[in-house]
Amino acid sequence: MATIFKLLPFNRVLYIGLVCFTCIIGIVHHFLFSIPDQIQWIFFSVIIVSTGIPHGALDHEVAKQSSFLNNQVFSAKKFHTKYLSSMLLYGIVWYVFPTLSFFLFLLISAFHFGETDLPIDSPKVTLLGVLLQVSYGLLILFIILFVHIDSVLPIIEKINIFSPALINYLNGEHIAFLAISVSFSFFFLTLIASYIIHKKIIADIKHLFALIIFVFVSALILPLPLCFIIYFGLWHSITSLENIRQHLSRTKNDRLTWKSLMIQCVPLTAISLVGLFSIIFFLELTNNINLVIMGLFIGISILTLPHQEVMSKMYFLVRKKSIK
């Protein structure tokens, strides 16, 4: 197993741009004027619509290209049947077992973030490789969530997925420090184990920790909606879209442009938005902003399950093509 973490030219420019952008917003928020909550959520919503949902809106095209590169026959009917069935099943699980579904979503998201930022260039990913990716993703999530635990808990409380005892525990004075310390220790141990067993597993570890530090600092200086959307919408989603663009580009001389890529995202992005807001209205969540956020959260989690499977297959093929 060989893991590669390098900030390629595209990622490097994106990273520097986000650092500058985050510093500017932080200065404005702390020294000029406090950014109103309404503006924060408007910005959050704009980025979700612009990059967050679109980065999963081409899953059918991604799967089709993956089948082509693997010399397999692609069936749109089978793909969409499987995709929608996964969403339906997860939706039912959310309805029956909301607490289990919440933790499952955290693990899926953690693996998805880790797979994007810590790609493993190997046909077979070992258990240690999966643990490394999951531990990294959990660290990122825990930093964002526990630094802002006072903002996160009111959202969670609205759908009663945690017991009152657990809510009180999470309100504890040192819980944020404990959670982030444990998640960092888990990540660091898997990183060390990976290096000992596989050697040179991280090509450029300073860039990896630079990204973790960036997420931590942004969580400290920015409110929850802003720090989360900067990582998810402006780092993770844009990085994923660039990987998708590379994947869908037939040859080096026939590159798919960003304009063409984003135009292709429009139809399913619109359908996804209709579906998400249908969930919100169906569950009568419109009377409270926290309930709206939770409805979006559940809707996005339902979309994430089949999306993760498609992206996992794609990432290996992208990296395989890039090292030829």
Side-chain angles (χ1 to χ4, degrees):
M1 180 181 71
T3 296
I4 300 173
F5 179 85
K6 280 188 176 181
L7 283 183
L8 301 175
F10 176 89
N11 303 79
R12 187 176 294 112
V13 171
L14 178 61
Y15 177 80
I16 293 173
L18 289 182
V19 169
C20 295
F21 179 67
T22 301
C23 289
I24 291 172
I25 293 182
I27 291 171
V28 169
H29 186 67
H30 288 282
F31 298 103
L32 297 180
F33 63 89
S34 179
I35 301 174
D37 290 348
Q38 185 178 8
I39 299 299
Q40 293 179 36
W41 287 114
I42 289 175
F43 178 72
F44 179 95
S45 301
V46 168
I47 300 301
I48 283 290
V49 173
S50 302
T51 64
I53 294 177
H55 96 277
L58 290 176
D59 283 352
H60 60 297
E61 293 293 341
V62 171
K64 183 177 180 180
Q65 178 72 342
S66 296
S67 296
F68 171 77
L69 294 174
N70 284 324
N71 297 315
Q72 298 172 343
V73 177
F74 176 76
S75 170
K77 182 178 180 180
K78 289 183 179 179
F79 170 79
H80 287 104
T81 299
K82 182 180 178 182
Y83 200 94
L84 294 174
S85 296
S86 297
M87 291 174 59
L88 177 61
L89 177 62
Y90 194 22
I92 293 172
V93 174
W94 256 110
Y95 183 77
V96 180
F97 304 109
T99 304
L100 174 64
S101 298
F102 177 83
F103 288 119
L104 179 61
F105 177 56
L106 285 182
L107 287 175
I108 294 172
S109 299
F111 177 66
H112 187 44
F113 292 160
E115 190 175 41
T116 304
D117 290 348
L118 279 174
I120 294 179
D121 182 30
S122 173
K124 294 183 179 181
V125 180
T126 65
L127 177 60
L128 183 57
V130 172
L131 286 176
L132 180 61
Q133 292 174 325
V134 170
S135 66
Y136 167 84
L138 282 176
L139 175 59
I140 295 296
L141 283 171
F142 276 27
I143 288 173
I144 295 173
L145 296 177
F146 279 96
V147 167
H148 298 284
I149 192 65
D150 291 341
S151 299
V152 171
L153 288 181
I155 299 173
I156 295 176
E157 282 183 293
K158 291 296 180 180
I159 57 171
N160 297 318
I161 62 174
F162 286 173
S163 67
L166 182 55
I167 293 292
N168 289 334
Y169 177 75
L170 292 175
N171 266 317
E173 184 178 356
H174 302 294
I175 187 61
F177 175 78
L178 178 63
I180 294 172
S181 298
V182 170
S183 61
F184 179 80
S185 299
F186 178 36
F187 167 68
F188 191 70
L189 287 174
T190 56
L191 186 68
I192 295 298
S194 298
Y195 178 79
I196 292 173
I197 295 174
H198 300 289
K199 303 295 183 184
K200 297 182 179 178
I201 193 165
I202 303 297
D204 201 345
I205 198 168
K206 66 178 182 291
H207 288 148
L208 171 64
F209 279 96
L211 182 56
I212 294 173
I213 292 171
F214 166 70
V215 172
F216 184 69
V217 172
S218 68
L220 288 176
I221 67 174
L222 296 179
L224 175 64
L226 298 181
C227 72
F228 176 79
I229 205 60
I230 284 174
Y231 175 77
F232 174 72
L234 298 181
W235 172 261
H236 170 76
S237 296
I238 292 178
T239 299
S240 297
L241 282 166
E242 171 62 11
N243 288 335
I244 291 170
R245 189 182 71 84
Q246 292 181 29
H247 185 61
L248 297 181
S249 298
R250 296 285 180 174
T251 65
K252 291 183 178 179
N253 297 323
D254 184 22
R255 291 288 185 185
L256 182 67
T257 66
W258 265 88
K259 180 180 179 180
S260 297
L261 179 74
M262 297 310 293
I263 289 174
Q264 289 185 48
C265 292
V266 171
L268 281 183
T269 296
I271 293 173
S272 298
L273 285 172
V274 170
L276 288 174
F277 283 104
S278 295
I279 291 174
I280 291 172
F281 283 102
F282 176 75
L283 296 178
E284 299 180 350
L285 306 178
T286 54
N287 294 327
N288 187 291
I289 182 61
N290 288 333
L291 290 178
V292 172
I293 296 166
M294 202 64 236
L296 288 172
F297 174 83
I298 293 172
I300 290 172
S301 74
I302 292 171
L303 289 168
T304 298
L305 183 62
H307 168 68
Q308 167 58 43
E309 182 181 358
V310 172
M311 295 298 285
S312 289
K313 293 178 180 177
M314 185 204 79
Y315 280 130
F316 168 68
L317 291 171
V318 167
R319 292 186 293 274
K320 183 179 179 182
K321 185 165 60 174
S322 69
I323 62 175
K324 284 184 177 180

